[in-house]
Amino acid sequence: MEVVMGAEALSAFLREEFGQVAGDFALEAVEAERVWLRMRPAERHLRPGGTVSGPSLFALADVAMYLAILSRIGPVALAVTTNCSIDFMRKPAPGRDLLAEARILKLGRVLVVGDVLIRSLDEAAADGDAAGHREGPVVARASLTYSIPPR
């Protein structure tokens, strides 16, 4: 299946419909089977000990999958998460951006299943495009199911 919403359209949709969180994320790339979404953790994303909190990592995984789905089905604001399982594998490197790679595994009429790998980016990718630096250590892995409302 082809991409029906590209990076620019998805970013605009996120700002328009979810302005309260849109500033936390930057869309890096959109392809037919996956989306890359960057998060620059700020002080509000940290937990005691100086690492990125679980809820912040969940938000990154959830928004990345949501955008991956919209890239394929168009602007459906009421597509919702029905299930998420997340494994926290290691602490993200302090002060480093995080990059989520969301991949759609099955796109049905009602349900979408996908997974997200969240990586801690190295210093070389911290200030620029992450395209050449997508192989940082995996800090979390999530499996998500979304429900698509009837059209």
Side-chain angles (χ1 to χ4, degrees):
M1 188 176 244
E2 66 186 54
V3 171
V4 297
M5 285 182 80
E8 193 173 309
L10 288 168
S11 294
F13 179 86
L14 191 61
R15 283 190 306 273
E16 199 172 294
E17 298 294 332
F18 298 96
Q20 68 274 26
V21 298
D24 289 345
F25 307 106
L27 200 52
E28 292 284 324
V30 177
E31 295 178 1
E33 297 299 325
R34 62 191 79 215
V35 164
W36 283 272
L37 185 68
R38 181 190 290 249
M39 173 188 238
R40 290 195 164 102
E43 188 71 29
R44 69 183 174 281
H45 299 116
L46 303 181
R47 65 178 306 269
T51 190
V52 178
S53 70
S56 295
L57 291 171
F58 171 85
L60 176 57
D62 194 38
V63 172
M65 182 54 62
Y66 181 65
L67 294 177
I69 293 166
L70 297 187
S71 77
R72 301 280 296 276
I73 67 170
V76 180
L78 295 179
V80 296
T81 310
T82 59
N83 187 56
C84 179
S85 174
I86 188 166
D87 297 308
F88 302 104
M89 301 166 79
R90 62 181 54 85
K91 287 172 63 171
R96 302 282 170 81
D97 288 1
L98 300 172
L99 188 68
E101 176 187 352
R103 190 171 54 137
I104 294 175
L105 302 174
K106 181 183 186 302
L107 177 60
R109 286 183 293 112
V110 177
L111 294 177
V112 181
V113 177
D115 64 16
V116 178
L117 290 180
I118 299 175
R119 298 176 187 276
S120 182
L121 296 178
D122 63 19
E123 287 185 56
D127 294 320
D129 182 71
H133 307 279
R134 293 181 178 152
E135 295 305 317
V138 174
V139 298
R141 177 188 65 88
S143 173
L144 295 103
T145 304
Y146 264 74
S147 176
I148 301 170
R151 297 185 190 205

